[in-house]
Amino acid sequence: MKIFKSLWFWLISIALILGIIVFLTTNKKSDIQATQAHHADRANKETPQAPSAAQLSDTKAQYFPLQSYRVGPYAAGGTGFYGGFIDYMKSVNAQGGINGVKLVWSECETEYVVEKGVECYERLKKGLNGTPAAATNPLSVGIAYATLERSTQDKLPLITINHGRTDSTDGRVFPYVFPLQLNPYSEVSAIINYLGEKSGGVANLKGKSIVVLYHGSPYGKETIPVIDALSKKYGFQVNHIEVPHPGNEQQSQWLNIRRIQPDWVILRGWGVMNPVALKTAQKVGYPVDKIIGNIWSNSEEDAAPAGSAAKGFISITTHPSGSNFKVLQDIKRLVVDQGQSDLADLKRFGTVYYNLGVVNGILNVEAVRIAQEKFGQRPLTGEEVRWGFEHLNLTDQRLEQLGAVGLVQRLKLSCEDHEGGGAVRFQQWDGTKWNVISDWVQADRTFLRPMIEASSQKYAKEQGIQIRDCTSEKS
Protein backbone atom coordinates (compact mmCIF):
# COMPACT_ATOMS: atom_id res chain seq x y z
CA MET A 1 0.00 0.00 0.00
CA LYS A 2 2.85 2.37 0.81
CA ILE A 3 4.26 1.83 -2.67
CA PHE A 4 0.87 2.65 -4.28
CA LYS A 5 0.46 5.69 -2.06
CA SER A 6 3.91 6.85 -3.03
CA LEU A 7 3.15 6.35 -6.74
CA TRP A 8 -0.12 8.21 -6.55
CA PHE A 9 1.64 11.00 -4.70
CA TRP A 10 4.16 11.45 -7.46
CA LEU A 11 1.59 11.20 -10.23
CA ILE A 12 -0.53 13.88 -8.61
CA SER A 13 2.52 16.04 -8.05
CA ILE A 14 3.57 15.78 -11.69
CA ALA A 15 0.05 16.61 -12.88
CA LEU A 16 -0.03 19.71 -10.67
CA ILE A 17 3.35 20.88 -11.99
CA LEU A 18 2.27 20.39 -15.61
CA GLY A 19 -0.93 22.30 -14.93
CA ILE A 20 1.02 25.24 -13.52
CA ILE A 21 3.36 25.28 -16.57
CA VAL A 22 0.43 25.28 -19.00
CA PHE A 23 -1.27 28.07 -17.03
CA LEU A 24 1.84 30.26 -17.00
CA THR A 25 2.59 29.65 -20.73
CA THR A 26 -0.95 30.53 -21.78
CA ASN A 27 -0.92 33.75 -19.76
CA LYS A 28 2.46 34.73 -21.20
CA LYS A 29 1.24 34.14 -24.76
CA SER A 30 -1.84 36.25 -24.06
CA ASP A 31 0.35 39.02 -22.64
CA ILE A 32 2.59 38.92 -25.76
CA GLN A 33 -0.41 39.04 -28.09
CA ALA A 34 -1.89 41.90 -26.07
CA THR A 35 1.43 43.76 -26.19
CA GLN A 36 1.75 43.20 -29.96
CA ALA A 37 -1.80 44.40 -30.47
CA HIS A 38 -1.06 47.47 -28.34
CA HIS A 39 2.08 48.28 -30.34
CA ALA A 40 0.29 47.72 -33.64
CA ASP A 41 -2.57 49.98 -32.55
CA ARG A 42 -0.07 52.59 -31.38
CA ALA A 43 1.84 52.39 -34.68
CA ASN A 44 -1.37 52.79 -36.64
CA LYS A 45 -2.28 55.86 -34.62
CA GLU A 46 1.18 57.39 -34.90
CA THR A 47 1.54 56.66 -38.64
CA PRO A 48 -1.79 57.22 -40.36
CA GLN A 49 -1.76 55.71 -43.84
CA ALA A 50 -4.00 55.05 -46.79
CA PRO A 51 -5.68 51.63 -47.04
CA SER A 52 -3.12 48.87 -46.47
CA ALA A 53 -2.06 46.32 -49.05
CA ALA A 54 -4.20 43.75 -47.27
CA GLN A 55 -7.27 45.89 -47.91
CA LEU A 56 -6.58 46.29 -51.61
CA SER A 57 -8.57 44.02 -53.88
CA ASP A 58 -7.14 41.70 -56.51
CA THR A 59 -10.27 42.38 -58.56
CA LYS A 60 -9.43 46.09 -58.67
CA ALA A 61 -5.84 45.86 -59.82
CA GLN A 62 -3.46 47.25 -62.43
CA TYR A 63 -1.12 44.70 -63.98
CA PHE A 64 2.50 45.20 -65.02
CA PRO A 65 3.97 42.39 -67.16
CA LEU A 66 7.71 42.09 -66.48
CA GLN A 67 9.99 40.65 -69.16
CA SER A 68 12.83 40.33 -66.67
CA TYR A 69 16.23 38.66 -66.75
CA ARG A 70 17.82 37.31 -63.59
CA VAL A 71 20.30 34.88 -65.14
CA GLY A 72 22.98 35.21 -67.79
CA PRO A 73 25.78 37.73 -68.43
CA TYR A 74 23.48 40.73 -67.83
CA ALA A 75 21.80 39.46 -64.66
CA ALA A 76 23.31 42.22 -62.52
CA GLY A 77 21.37 44.82 -64.48
CA GLY A 78 18.16 42.81 -64.52
CA THR A 79 18.08 41.86 -60.84
CA GLY A 80 18.92 45.39 -59.72
CA PHE A 81 16.47 47.14 -62.03
CA TYR A 82 13.52 44.83 -61.49
CA GLY A 83 14.32 44.67 -57.78
CA GLY A 84 13.91 48.45 -57.53
CA PHE A 85 10.84 48.49 -59.78
CA ILE A 86 9.07 45.75 -57.80
CA ASP A 87 10.00 47.20 -54.41
CA TYR A 88 8.58 50.57 -55.47
CA MET A 89 5.29 48.94 -56.48
CA LYS A 90 5.20 47.11 -53.14
CA SER A 91 5.72 50.44 -51.38
CA VAL A 92 2.87 52.00 -53.37
CA ASN A 93 0.60 49.10 -52.40
CA ALA A 94 1.58 49.47 -48.75
CA GLN A 95 0.36 53.07 -48.96
CA GLY A 96 -2.99 52.22 -50.53
CA GLY A 97 -2.11 51.60 -54.18
CA ILE A 98 -2.93 54.18 -56.83
CA ASN A 99 -6.11 55.74 -55.46
CA GLY A 100 -7.12 52.35 -54.09
CA VAL A 101 -6.10 50.39 -57.21
CA LYS A 102 -3.68 47.61 -56.34
CA LEU A 103 -0.55 47.01 -58.41
CA VAL A 104 0.11 43.41 -59.46
CA TRP A 105 2.79 41.90 -61.66
CA SER A 106 4.29 38.67 -62.90
CA GLU A 107 7.68 37.90 -64.39
CA CYS A 108 8.81 35.97 -67.43
CA GLU A 109 12.53 35.17 -67.72
CA THR A 110 14.08 36.39 -70.97
CA GLU A 111 17.79 35.88 -70.16
CA TYR A 112 18.17 39.06 -72.27
CA VAL A 113 17.48 36.89 -75.33
CA VAL A 114 15.31 38.54 -78.00
CA GLU A 115 13.33 35.43 -78.93
CA LYS A 116 12.49 34.74 -75.30
CA GLY A 117 11.56 38.39 -74.82
CA VAL A 118 9.04 38.19 -77.67
CA GLU A 119 7.63 34.94 -76.28
CA CYS A 120 7.25 36.59 -72.85
CA TYR A 121 5.52 39.59 -74.40
CA GLU A 122 2.94 37.41 -76.11
CA ARG A 123 2.39 35.39 -72.94
CA LEU A 124 1.84 38.39 -70.67
CA LYS A 125 0.30 41.11 -72.84
CA LYS A 126 -3.35 40.22 -72.21
CA GLY A 127 -3.20 40.89 -68.49
CA LEU A 128 -3.46 38.75 -65.38
CA ASN A 129 -6.66 37.16 -64.08
CA GLY A 130 -8.78 39.80 -65.74
CA THR A 131 -6.60 42.77 -64.73
CA PRO A 132 -5.44 44.86 -67.72
CA ALA A 133 -1.77 45.39 -68.58
CA ALA A 134 -0.52 48.97 -68.18
CA ALA A 135 2.82 48.91 -70.03
CA THR A 136 5.83 46.71 -70.81
CA ASN A 137 9.33 47.48 -69.50
CA PRO A 138 11.79 44.98 -71.07
CA LEU A 139 15.04 46.91 -70.36
CA SER A 140 16.53 45.53 -73.57
CA VAL A 141 17.11 47.28 -76.87
CA GLY A 142 16.84 44.04 -78.81
CA ILE A 143 13.56 43.03 -77.18
CA ALA A 144 12.22 46.58 -77.54
CA TYR A 145 12.94 46.58 -81.28
CA ALA A 146 11.37 43.14 -81.65
CA THR A 147 8.16 44.04 -79.81
CA LEU A 148 7.74 47.63 -81.00
CA GLU A 149 5.28 46.90 -83.79
CA ARG A 150 3.46 44.35 -81.64
CA SER A 151 3.05 46.93 -78.87
CA THR A 152 1.66 49.44 -81.35
CA GLN A 153 -0.80 46.92 -82.73
CA ASP A 154 -1.86 45.84 -79.22
CA LYS A 155 -2.04 49.47 -78.01
CA LEU A 156 0.25 48.68 -75.09
CA PRO A 157 2.90 51.26 -74.10
CA LEU A 158 6.51 50.12 -74.52
CA ILE A 159 8.77 51.85 -71.98
CA THR A 160 12.49 52.04 -72.82
CA ILE A 161 13.91 54.22 -70.06
CA ASN A 162 17.38 55.55 -70.96
CA HIS A 163 17.62 53.32 -74.05
CA GLY A 164 15.73 52.06 -77.06
CA ARG A 165 15.10 53.37 -80.53
CA THR A 166 16.06 57.06 -80.67
CA ASP A 167 13.50 58.10 -83.28
CA SER A 168 10.72 56.75 -81.04
CA THR A 169 11.15 60.07 -79.25
CA ASP A 170 8.83 61.36 -81.99
CA GLY A 171 5.45 60.37 -80.57
CA ARG A 172 3.70 61.45 -83.77
CA VAL A 173 5.08 58.30 -85.43
CA PHE A 174 5.58 56.11 -82.35
CA PRO A 175 2.53 56.77 -80.14
CA TYR A 176 3.12 53.76 -77.90
CA VAL A 177 6.90 53.90 -77.39
CA PHE A 178 8.53 56.01 -74.68
CA PRO A 179 12.37 56.33 -74.40
CA LEU A 180 11.91 58.13 -71.09
CA GLN A 181 14.47 60.59 -69.71
CA LEU A 182 17.31 59.93 -72.13
CA ASN A 183 17.41 58.54 -75.64
CA PRO A 184 20.75 57.28 -77.06
CA TYR A 185 21.34 60.41 -79.13
CA SER A 186 20.84 62.69 -76.13
CA GLU A 187 23.22 60.53 -74.13
CA VAL A 188 26.06 60.98 -76.63
CA SER A 189 25.32 64.66 -77.19
CA ALA A 190 25.49 65.32 -73.44
CA ILE A 191 28.83 63.51 -73.21
CA ILE A 192 30.27 65.62 -76.06
CA ASN A 193 28.98 68.79 -74.35
CA TYR A 194 30.70 67.70 -71.12
CA LEU A 195 33.99 67.04 -72.95
CA GLY A 196 33.58 70.47 -74.51
CA GLU A 197 33.24 72.02 -71.05
CA LYS A 198 36.37 70.20 -69.88
CA SER A 199 38.20 71.57 -72.94
CA GLY A 200 37.19 75.17 -72.29
CA GLY A 201 34.30 75.16 -74.76
CA VAL A 202 32.99 72.94 -77.55
CA ALA A 203 34.93 74.98 -80.10
CA ASN A 204 38.10 73.55 -78.56
CA LEU A 205 37.07 70.03 -79.51
CA LYS A 206 38.36 70.72 -83.02
CA GLY A 207 41.30 68.46 -83.75
CA LYS A 208 40.68 66.24 -80.71
CA SER A 209 40.46 62.45 -81.08
CA ILE A 210 37.69 60.30 -79.59
CA VAL A 211 37.25 56.54 -79.72
CA VAL A 212 33.83 55.01 -79.18
CA LEU A 213 34.19 51.48 -77.82
CA TYR A 214 30.75 49.94 -78.29
CA HIS A 215 28.92 46.72 -77.51
CA GLY A 216 28.36 44.63 -80.63
CA SER A 217 24.57 44.78 -80.56
CA PRO A 218 21.78 47.05 -81.86
CA TYR A 219 22.15 49.01 -78.63
CA GLY A 220 25.87 49.54 -79.15
CA LYS A 221 25.49 50.57 -82.80
CA GLU A 222 22.57 52.94 -82.20
CA THR A 223 24.69 56.08 -81.74
CA ILE A 224 27.16 55.73 -84.62
CA PRO A 225 25.26 58.20 -86.87
CA VAL A 226 24.97 60.91 -84.21
CA ILE A 227 28.63 60.65 -83.18
CA ASP A 228 29.61 61.06 -86.82
CA ALA A 229 27.31 64.10 -87.12
CA LEU A 230 28.76 65.68 -83.96
CA SER A 231 32.26 64.96 -85.26
CA LYS A 232 31.52 66.96 -88.41
CA LYS A 233 29.91 69.77 -86.42
CA TYR A 234 32.76 70.25 -83.94
CA GLY A 235 35.73 69.01 -85.98
CA PHE A 236 36.96 66.17 -83.77
CA GLN A 237 38.11 62.83 -85.15
CA VAL A 238 36.18 59.71 -84.20
CA ASN A 239 36.97 56.00 -84.41
CA HIS A 240 34.31 53.35 -83.75
CA ILE A 241 35.59 50.07 -82.31
CA GLU A 242 33.24 47.15 -81.76
CA VAL A 243 33.45 44.61 -78.94
CA PRO A 244 31.61 41.35 -79.75
CA HIS A 245 29.02 40.14 -77.23
CA PRO A 246 29.45 39.61 -74.32
CA GLY A 247 32.84 41.36 -74.17
CA ASN A 248 35.06 38.99 -72.19
CA GLU A 249 38.04 39.53 -74.48
CA GLN A 250 39.19 43.03 -75.52
CA GLN A 251 42.95 42.86 -75.83
CA SER A 252 43.05 43.62 -79.57
CA GLN A 253 40.62 46.54 -79.23
CA TRP A 254 42.66 48.21 -76.51
CA LEU A 255 45.94 47.66 -78.34
CA ASN A 256 44.30 49.50 -81.23
CA ILE A 257 43.24 52.29 -78.84
CA ARG A 258 46.82 52.56 -77.55
CA ARG A 259 47.97 52.93 -81.15
CA ILE A 260 45.40 55.68 -81.86
CA GLN A 261 46.15 57.52 -78.58
CA PRO A 262 42.76 59.29 -78.38
CA ASP A 263 42.06 62.17 -76.02
CA TRP A 264 39.04 60.27 -74.68
CA VAL A 265 37.31 56.93 -74.97
CA ILE A 266 33.53 56.79 -74.76
CA LEU A 267 32.63 53.38 -73.35
CA ARG A 268 29.23 52.17 -74.54
CA GLY A 269 29.33 48.87 -72.73
CA TRP A 270 26.92 46.51 -71.02
CA GLY A 271 27.38 43.82 -68.40
CA VAL A 272 30.72 42.04 -68.22
CA MET A 273 32.12 44.19 -71.04
CA ASN A 274 32.57 47.14 -68.67
CA PRO A 275 34.94 45.80 -65.98
CA VAL A 276 36.87 43.91 -68.66
CA ALA A 277 37.33 47.20 -70.55
CA LEU A 278 38.68 48.96 -67.46
CA LYS A 279 41.08 46.17 -66.57
CA THR A 280 42.34 45.89 -70.14
CA ALA A 281 42.81 49.66 -70.38
CA GLN A 282 45.01 49.48 -67.32
CA LYS A 283 47.07 46.68 -68.88
CA VAL A 284 47.81 48.71 -72.01
CA GLY A 285 48.45 51.89 -70.03
CA TYR A 286 45.47 53.99 -71.07
CA PRO A 287 44.44 56.47 -68.27
CA VAL A 288 41.12 55.53 -66.71
CA ASP A 289 40.04 59.14 -66.10
CA LYS A 290 39.99 59.61 -69.88
CA ILE A 291 37.32 56.91 -70.22
CA ILE A 292 33.73 58.18 -70.11
CA GLY A 293 31.12 55.50 -69.49
CA ASN A 294 27.66 55.80 -70.93
CA ILE A 295 24.37 55.13 -69.14
CA TRP A 296 24.89 51.35 -69.18
CA SER A 297 28.48 51.57 -67.98
CA ASN A 298 27.69 53.47 -64.80
CA SER A 299 26.80 51.01 -62.05
CA GLU A 300 28.63 49.59 -59.06
CA GLU A 301 28.64 46.23 -60.85
CA ASP A 302 30.48 47.86 -63.76
CA ALA A 303 33.24 49.42 -61.65
CA ALA A 304 33.80 47.34 -58.52
CA PRO A 305 34.82 44.08 -60.27
CA ALA A 306 37.64 45.96 -62.00
CA GLY A 307 39.29 46.73 -58.65
CA SER A 308 42.02 49.35 -58.77
CA ALA A 309 41.66 49.66 -62.54
CA ALA A 310 38.34 51.46 -62.04
CA LYS A 311 39.49 54.15 -59.64
CA GLY A 312 38.99 57.53 -61.35
CA PHE A 313 36.60 56.16 -63.99
CA ILE A 314 33.92 58.70 -65.04
CA SER A 315 30.43 57.90 -66.29
CA ILE A 316 27.12 59.63 -66.87
CA THR A 317 23.98 59.09 -64.83
CA THR A 318 20.37 60.21 -64.92
CA HIS A 319 20.02 59.29 -61.23
CA PRO A 320 22.55 59.04 -58.43
CA SER A 321 23.12 56.04 -56.23
CA GLY A 322 22.39 56.31 -52.51
CA SER A 323 19.38 55.93 -50.25
CA ASN A 324 19.07 59.43 -48.77
CA PHE A 325 15.91 60.20 -50.70
CA LYS A 326 12.50 60.16 -49.06
CA VAL A 327 11.11 57.73 -51.61
CA LEU A 328 13.96 55.31 -50.84
CA GLN A 329 13.42 55.72 -47.11
CA ASP A 330 9.73 54.90 -47.58
CA ILE A 331 10.68 51.74 -49.47
CA LYS A 332 13.09 50.78 -46.70
CA ARG A 333 10.48 51.27 -43.98
CA LEU A 334 7.53 49.70 -45.78
CA VAL A 335 9.23 46.95 -47.78
CA VAL A 336 12.87 46.23 -46.95
CA ASP A 337 12.55 46.38 -43.16
CA GLN A 338 9.47 44.17 -43.39
CA GLY A 339 11.50 41.44 -45.08
CA GLN A 340 9.57 41.95 -48.34
CA SER A 341 12.29 43.26 -50.67
CA ASP A 342 12.72 41.63 -54.06
CA LEU A 343 16.50 41.95 -53.70
CA ALA A 344 18.39 38.76 -52.91
CA ASP A 345 21.30 40.88 -51.63
CA LEU A 346 20.11 43.83 -49.55
CA LYS A 347 23.52 45.48 -49.93
CA ARG A 348 22.32 46.48 -53.40
CA PHE A 349 19.60 48.71 -51.94
CA GLY A 350 20.28 52.24 -53.22
CA THR A 351 22.72 51.18 -55.94
CA VAL A 352 22.59 52.57 -59.47
CA TYR A 353 20.62 49.71 -61.05
CA TYR A 354 18.22 49.51 -58.11
CA ASN A 355 17.57 53.25 -58.12
CA LEU A 356 16.93 53.17 -61.87
CA GLY A 357 14.25 50.59 -61.17
CA VAL A 358 12.74 52.89 -58.55
CA VAL A 359 12.80 55.82 -61.00
CA ASN A 360 11.16 53.63 -63.63
CA GLY A 361 8.52 52.66 -61.09
CA ILE A 362 7.85 56.30 -60.27
CA LEU A 363 7.34 57.17 -63.94
CA ASN A 364 5.07 54.18 -64.63
CA VAL A 365 2.94 54.77 -61.54
CA GLU A 366 2.75 58.49 -62.18
CA ALA A 367 1.51 57.83 -65.72
CA VAL A 368 -1.27 55.61 -64.34
CA ARG A 369 -2.14 58.20 -61.71
CA ILE A 370 -2.38 60.98 -64.31
CA ALA A 371 -4.48 58.79 -66.59
CA GLN A 372 -6.84 58.03 -63.69
CA GLU A 373 -7.57 61.75 -63.40
CA LYS A 374 -9.02 61.60 -66.90
CA PHE A 375 -10.47 58.10 -67.09
CA GLY A 376 -11.40 57.31 -63.49
CA GLN A 377 -9.86 55.66 -60.44
CA ARG A 378 -9.95 52.11 -61.76
CA PRO A 379 -7.71 49.66 -63.62
CA LEU A 380 -6.88 51.22 -66.98
CA THR A 381 -6.23 49.87 -70.46
CA GLY A 382 -2.88 50.30 -72.17
CA GLU A 383 -4.40 52.94 -74.43
CA GLU A 384 -5.51 54.97 -71.42
CA VAL A 385 -2.11 54.61 -69.73
CA ARG A 386 -0.47 55.80 -72.96
CA TRP A 387 -2.40 59.06 -72.54
CA GLY A 388 -1.00 59.30 -69.02
CA PHE A 389 2.58 58.93 -70.24
CA GLU A 390 2.09 61.64 -72.84
CA HIS A 391 0.94 63.99 -70.08
CA LEU A 392 3.71 63.28 -67.59
CA ASN A 393 4.87 66.53 -66.03
CA LEU A 394 7.32 66.17 -63.16
CA THR A 395 7.85 69.66 -61.80
CA ASP A 396 10.00 70.47 -58.78
CA GLN A 397 6.81 70.61 -56.71
CA ARG A 398 5.65 67.19 -57.87
CA LEU A 399 9.12 65.69 -57.31
CA GLU A 400 9.00 67.05 -53.77
CA GLN A 401 5.64 65.36 -53.20
CA LEU A 402 7.04 62.09 -54.55
CA GLY A 403 10.12 62.30 -52.34
CA ALA A 404 12.29 62.14 -55.44
CA VAL A 405 14.05 65.53 -55.55
CA GLY A 406 17.64 64.90 -56.63
CA LEU A 407 16.80 61.38 -57.77
CA VAL A 408 14.67 62.19 -60.82
CA GLN A 409 15.17 65.07 -63.24
CA ARG A 410 12.33 67.40 -64.22
CA LEU A 411 10.41 65.72 -66.98
CA LYS A 412 7.66 66.92 -69.32
CA LEU A 413 6.35 64.73 -72.13
CA SER A 414 3.96 65.48 -74.95
CA CYS A 415 2.49 64.03 -78.12
CA GLU A 416 5.61 65.13 -80.02
CA ASP A 417 8.19 64.41 -77.32
CA HIS A 418 8.31 60.98 -75.67
CA GLU A 419 11.71 61.53 -74.05
CA GLY A 420 11.03 64.63 -72.02
CA GLY A 421 14.40 65.14 -70.35
CA GLY A 422 17.70 64.76 -72.15
CA ALA A 423 19.92 65.76 -69.23
CA VAL A 424 22.62 63.82 -67.37
CA ARG A 425 25.10 64.32 -64.57
CA PHE A 426 28.61 62.92 -64.36
CA GLN A 427 29.96 60.76 -61.58
CA GLN A 428 33.40 59.38 -60.70
CA TRP A 429 34.34 56.11 -59.02
CA ASP A 430 36.60 56.59 -55.99
CA GLY A 431 37.39 52.92 -55.52
CA THR A 432 34.36 52.11 -53.38
CA LYS A 433 31.48 54.32 -54.51
CA TRP A 434 30.25 56.83 -57.09
CA ASN A 435 30.49 60.58 -56.42
CA VAL A 436 28.57 63.10 -58.53
CA ILE A 437 31.07 65.61 -60.01
CA SER A 438 28.89 67.83 -62.21
CA ASP A 439 25.61 69.68 -62.43
CA TRP A 440 23.04 68.67 -65.04
CA VAL A 441 24.48 68.69 -68.55
CA GLN A 442 21.82 69.06 -71.24
CA ALA A 443 21.93 67.40 -74.63
CA ASP A 444 21.68 69.62 -77.70
CA ARG A 445 18.10 68.59 -78.40
CA THR A 446 17.64 71.36 -81.00
CA PHE A 447 20.48 69.88 -83.04
CA LEU A 448 19.20 66.32 -82.56
CA ARG A 449 15.52 66.88 -83.35
CA PRO A 450 15.86 67.15 -87.16
CA MET A 451 17.83 63.89 -87.19
CA ILE A 452 15.15 62.21 -85.07
CA GLU A 453 12.33 63.47 -87.28
CA ALA A 454 14.12 62.47 -90.48
CA SER A 455 14.50 58.93 -89.16
CA SER A 456 10.95 58.69 -87.79
CA GLN A 457 9.42 60.03 -91.01
CA LYS A 458 11.45 57.53 -93.04
CA TYR A 459 10.08 54.76 -90.82
CA ALA A 460 6.55 56.10 -91.20
CA LYS A 461 6.88 56.06 -94.98
CA GLU A 462 8.26 52.50 -94.99
CA GLN A 463 5.49 51.25 -92.69
CA GLY A 464 2.67 53.26 -94.23
CA ILE A 465 2.02 55.10 -90.96
CA GLN A 466 -0.12 58.24 -90.91
CA ILE A 467 1.77 60.83 -88.86
CA ARG A 468 -0.36 62.11 -86.00
CA ASP A 469 -1.57 65.69 -85.90
CA CYS A 470 -0.75 66.54 -82.28
CA THR A 471 -2.53 69.90 -82.44
CA SER A 472 -5.85 68.11 -82.91
CA GLU A 473 -5.21 65.91 -79.83
CA LYS A 474 -4.67 68.67 -77.29
CA SER A 475 -6.84 67.91 -74.28
Side-chain angles (χ1 to χ4, degrees):
M1 291 294 292
K2 289 182 179 180
I3 295 174
F4 282 112
K5 286 181 180 179
S6 177
L7 180 60
W8 280 109
F9 171 78
W10 288 111
L11 289 171
I12 292 169
S13 298
I14 292 170
L16 288 171
I17 292 170
L18 290 172
I20 292 170
I21 292 172
V22 170
F23 175 77
L24 292 174
T25 303
T26 302
N27 278 1
K28 185 175 182 181
K29 184 176 180 180
S30 299
D31 289 343
I32 291 171
Q33 289 174 337
T35 301
Q36 289 174 335
H38 169 73
H39 286 316
D41 181 64
R42 179 181 175 187
N44 288 336
K45 290 178 180 178
E46 290 179 353
T47 312
Q49 294 181 353
S52 68
Q55 295 172 298
L56 295 175
S57 172
D58 286 333
T59 61
K60 187 182 179 183
Q62 187 76 63
Y63 173 59
F64 281 91
L66 303 182
Q67 299 147 282
S68 58
Y69 44 97
R70 296 178 180 272
V71 297
Y74 308 111
T79 53
F81 175 83
Y82 290 103
F85 191 3
I86 290 171
D87 280 2
Y88 181 74
M89 289 192 287
K90 288 181 177 180
S91 176
V92 171
N93 280 343
Q95 298 173 79
I98 308 177
N99 295 314
V101 176
K102 184 178 182 179
L103 300 177
V104 295
W105 56 89
S106 65
E107 298 186 63
C108 181
E109 177 63 49
T110 71
E111 300 181 27
Y112 201 74
V113 175
V114 171
E115 293 78 11
K116 291 184 178 181
V118 173
E119 180 184 334
C120 287
Y121 172 85
E122 291 296 334
R123 187 185 305 171
L124 304 178
K125 69 180 183 180
K126 293 181 180 179
L128 179 69
N129 300 326
T131 61
T136 64
N137 294 262
L139 199 70
S140 162
V141 173
I143 296 173
Y145 267 79
T147 58
L148 187 151
E149 292 176 12
R150 296 169 188 256
S151 295
T152 302
Q153 182 178 354
D154 296 328
K155 297 184 177 181
L156 185 60
L158 169 62
I159 311 307
T160 60
I161 187 169
N162 290 358
H163 70 288
R165 183 170 178 145
T166 297
D167 57 7
S168 66
T169 299
D170 188 352
R172 301 173 307 158
V173 176
F174 299 91
Y176 294 92
V177 190
F178 294 86
L180 299 178
Q181 291 196 127
L182 189 73
N183 68 44
Y185 281 19
S186 290
E187 167 197 291
V188 171
S189 173
I191 290 175
I192 295 301
N193 286 343
Y194 174 76
L195 296 180
E197 289 181 9
K198 303 302 287 185
S199 302
V202 289
N204 293 328
L205 290 175
K206 187 174 183 179
K208 301 287 187 181
S209 174
I210 297 175
V211 163
V212 180
L213 188 68
Y214 67 92
H215 188 270
S217 65
Y219 143 70
K221 299 172 184 177
E222 176 80 14
T223 58
I224 291 176
V226 72
I227 283 281
D228 289 342
L230 290 167
S231 171
K232 291 178 181 178
K233 179 178 181 179
Y234 295 119
F236 61 83
Q237 296 177 340
V238 62
N239 288 276
H240 302 280
I241 300 178
E242 179 176 340
V243 175
H245 159 84
N248 288 320
E249 175 53 53
Q250 300 178 36
Q251 187 71 15
S252 64
Q253 287 88 349
W254 281 97
L255 287 174
N256 193 15
I257 290 171
R258 185 173 68 178
R259 178 186 61 78
I260 296 170
Q261 285 295 304
D263 294 285
W264 295 285
V265 172
I266 296 176
L267 175 60
R268 303 199 74 250
W270 180 223
V272 296
M273 174 181 163
N274 293 313
V276 171
L278 297 175
K279 286 191 273 190
T280 312
Q282 184 183 59
K283 287 181 182 178
V284 303
Y286 190 81
V288 69
D289 60 354
K290 295 294 184 181
I291 304 173
I292 310 296
N294 81 327
I295 201 68
W296 301 111
S297 306
N298 74 344
S299 74
E300 289 81 359
E301 290 81 2
D302 297 317
S308 62
K311 189 173 183 179
F313 172 49
I314 297 170
S315 72
I316 69 172
T317 185
T318 55
H319 56 282
S321 59
S323 58
N324 295 323
F325 306 98
K326 184 180 181 299
V327 63
L328 268 294
Q329 291 302 306
D330 287 343
I331 294 172
K332 185 177 185 302
R333 174 174 58 87
L334 297 169
V335 181
V336 178
D337 290 348
Q338 306 304 316
Q340 299 298 316
S341 177
D342 184 75
L343 286 175
D345 181 3
L346 293 182
K347 292 180 181 178
R348 299 184 69 192
F349 178 76
T351 57
V352 169
Y353 282 141
Y354 183 88
N355 284 4
L356 178 60
V358 172
V359 171
N360 193 66
I362 290 172
L363 300 181
N364 275 266
V365 169
E366 189 69 2
V368 173
R369 195 188 311 275
I370 290 170
Q372 283 185 354
E373 294 175 2
K374 179 177 177 63
F375 301 105
Q377 296 179 0
R378 56 171 175 79
L380 304 174
T381 66
E383 173 69 12
E384 291 168 335
V385 175
R386 181 201 65 79
W387 187 93
F389 274 109
E390 282 200 343
H391 290 79
L392 271 175
N393 185 17
L394 294 183
T395 62
D396 288 336
Q397 180 182 7
R398 184 55 185 152
L399 290 172
E400 181 72 36
Q401 293 169 348
L402 292 168
V405 172
L407 180 67
V408 185
Q409 62 181 284
R410 290 190 297 271
L411 208 65
K412 183 176 176 60
L413 273 67
S414 67
C415 170
E416 298 94 341
D417 180 11
H418 281 194
E419 177 190 32
V424 302
R425 284 184 284 185
F426 287 77
Q427 59 184 8
Q428 189 166 35
W429 184 253
D430 67 5
T432 58
K433 66 182 187 305
W434 291 107
N435 299 295
V436 175
I437 59 172
S438 80
D439 292 326
W440 289 105
V441 177
Q442 185 68 50
D444 189 350
R445 301 186 79 206
T446 302
F447 174 75
L448 300 176
R449 185 68 190 191
M451 298 174 64
I452 291 171
E453 290 188 1
S455 179
S456 66
Q457 289 171 14
K458 178 183 177 183
Y459 177 83
K461 184 177 181 180
E462 292 172 348
Q463 299 296 319
I465 296 172
Q466 180 66 41
I467 297 176
R468 296 162 68 194
D469 178 7
C470 290
T471 58
S472 66
E473 297 185 23
K474 302 293 184 183
S475 61

